[in-house]
Amino acid sequence: MSAIEIHMFPCLSDNYGYLVHEPKSGETTCIDTPDADRILSEAGKKSWNITQIWNTHWHPDHAGGNLAIKEATDCMIIGPAGEEEKIPGLDRAVHQDSLVNLGHVEARVLDVPGHTAGHIAFHLPDEDVAFVGDTLFALGCGRLFEGTPEQMVHSLAKLKALPGETTIYCAHEYTAANAKFALSVEPNNPALRSYASDVARLRSEQKPTVPTILSKELNANPFLRADVPSLQTAMGHVGDEVATFAEIRSRKDNF
Ligand code: ZN
Ligand code: FE
């Protein structure tokens, strides 16, 4: 049985807010802070007291609500060491293999630079859950604002190495557009085709496509498949995972 309860709700135009509650200790952490008012009101509805914030990266749709939530709750803010001066109200800077506790539940930090220079993810191994911010999306990955394709391939490799059954909580609902693009690079991938039709159905019912499962992404998400020979051939970079990834990323940027 799970030792945590995860409450997910839409924020801003296409972000997700997450509150993670550990009932034994009564602790609650908020994963990123896209919208302080919305997050505080969702916590109130649950009667959960926010005791922590875990930031994945500095972008305003991820850390913009930090100070308002801290002021309202006196919570502790944990975020990436690589972005220390950019995270409002940061109390504890963490990096690769730092351990973060929510009551009795432990999260391990992964450094996953690429979208931003210090981006981190939180992996809860006993729960088979990972919060990946804007690094990995359902059928997509984050844009490379501050990092290189090589860095992002390395970061995504860390996520690919997690157990296949890991539930991946990403920060945006981008899946319908991602599916369209993914089909343009791997039109004959049967796993992708069936995934894309599930996405179309869910979105037509106004349902979220997040979270996703790592094993599903491994079979269908082109950004995790730059090591697959048929995709390397299609992108014109046989034997070169980084160049294949860079090609897919730049096609997506211009899609
Ligand atoms: Zn971002
Ligand atoms: Fe974002």
Side-chain angles (χ1 to χ4, degrees), residues 43 46 80:
K46 286 279 193 183

Side-chain angles (χ1 to χ4, degrees), residues 222-246:
F223 296 97
L224 298 183
R225 295 170 55 77
D227 56 339
V228 172
S230 59
L231 190 48
Q232 293 183 342
T233 303
M235 295 299 107
H237 295 285
V238 177
D240 191 334
E241 182 177 0
V242 171
T244 301
F245 175 84

Side-chain angles (χ1 to χ4, degrees), residues 61-62 134 172:
D61 63 315
H62 297 263
D134 286 355
H172 291 270

Side-chain angles (χ1 to χ4, degrees), residues 15 57 59 61-62 115 134 171-172 174:
N15 283 73
H57 65 297
H59 283 162
D61 63 315
H62 297 263
H115 176 67
D134 286 355
H172 291 270
Y174 287 158

Side-chain angles (χ1 to χ4, degrees), residues 137-166:
F137 295 122
L139 294 179
C141 80
R143 272 180 192 257
L144 301 182
F145 288 118
E146 299 176 3
T148 64
E150 192 166 12
Q151 256 180 335
M152 194 59 153
V153 166
H154 186 66
S155 294
L156 292 173
K158 289 185 189 175
L159 299 177
K160 283 166 81 167
L162 299 178
E165 61 270 26
T166 304

Side-chain angles (χ1 to χ4, degrees), residues 52 54 78 92 94 98-102 105-107 109 122:
Q52 303 186 40
W54 296 357
I78 296 173
R92 181 183 166 205
V94 293
S98 294
L99 297 174
V100 173
N101 275 83
L102 185 70
V105 171
E106 193 167 71
V109 173
F122 296 89

